[in-house]
Amino acid sequence: MTSTTGTPPPSGLAPELAARLKRSADGLLPAIAQQYDTGEVLMLGWMDDEALHRTLTTGRCTYWSRSRQEYWVKGDTSGHFQWVKSVALDCDADTVLVKVDQVGAACHTGDRTCFDADVLLKDAEHAHEGADSGVPASDQ
């Protein structure tokens, strides 16, 4: 059923949690998927209230596809599953961190992560001088 008021359709997400979320104009939250045991950042997806509810209740990451305008469960077509270990909101309640056990590639290109192919800066060695960084030398 489509809503004509611009409000999202009803979700199974607990109302007290839904009330805390700060969504984008299109009703979505960025959801960062991170490998639970290594800390490796795997991908960024998007969730609405229902995708978050499904992720919390099924133990598998469910995202909202902005291009296809439909829900997708990571692994259903690729076999590269994300098994949920924990879910947390950031301090502003506008981003979700989902720690997962990733099976296979996380990226649709077949790479382990979505951040493997286009590294802009790697292993940079920048000296942080107190005056240059804006951080007092005592805090470095």
Side-chain angles (χ1 to χ4, degrees):
M1 184 165 136
T2 304
S3 173
T4 57
T5 63
T7 59
S11 164
L13 191 64
E16 59 275 8
L17 175 55
R20 295 175 50 206
L21 301 177
K22 294 179 187 160
R23 302 163 198 79
S24 65
D26 53 3
L28 300 174
L29 293 168
I32 301 165
Q34 180 181 37
Q35 179 64 35
Y36 82 100
D37 54 352
T38 65
E40 181 180 32
V41 177
L42 300 169
M43 60 173 278
L44 172 77
W46 295 92
M47 292 184 180
D48 65 1
D49 289 16
E50 183 59 21
L52 179 56
H53 169 70
R54 293 178 188 187
T55 297
L56 291 168
T57 58
T58 67
R60 294 188 51 208
C61 282
T62 301
Y63 299 100
W64 176 256
S65 171
R66 295 176 301 162
S67 59
R68 295 188 315 266
Q69 295 289 297
E70 65 184 16
Y71 295 104
W72 59 278
V73 179
K74 186 68 174 168
D76 274 359
T77 57
S78 67
H80 299 166
F81 299 98
Q82 290 179 341
W83 301 106
V84 176
K85 296 292 187 174
S86 68
V87 180
L89 284 174
D90 76 334
C91 58
D92 296 318
D94 65 359
T95 302
V96 178
L97 176 63
V98 186
K99 292 188 179 182
V100 301
D101 189 8
Q102 176 70 48
V103 176
C107 187
H108 72 282
T109 65
D111 285 342
R112 168 73 182 162
T113 85
C114 293
F115 301 99
D116 286 346
D118 199 6
V119 177
L120 303 179
L121 181 65
K122 183 173 182 163
D123 300 330
E125 292 186 30
H126 295 287
H128 291 285
E129 301 298 326
D132 295 336
S133 68
V135 177
S138 62
D139 290 345
Q140 294 183 19

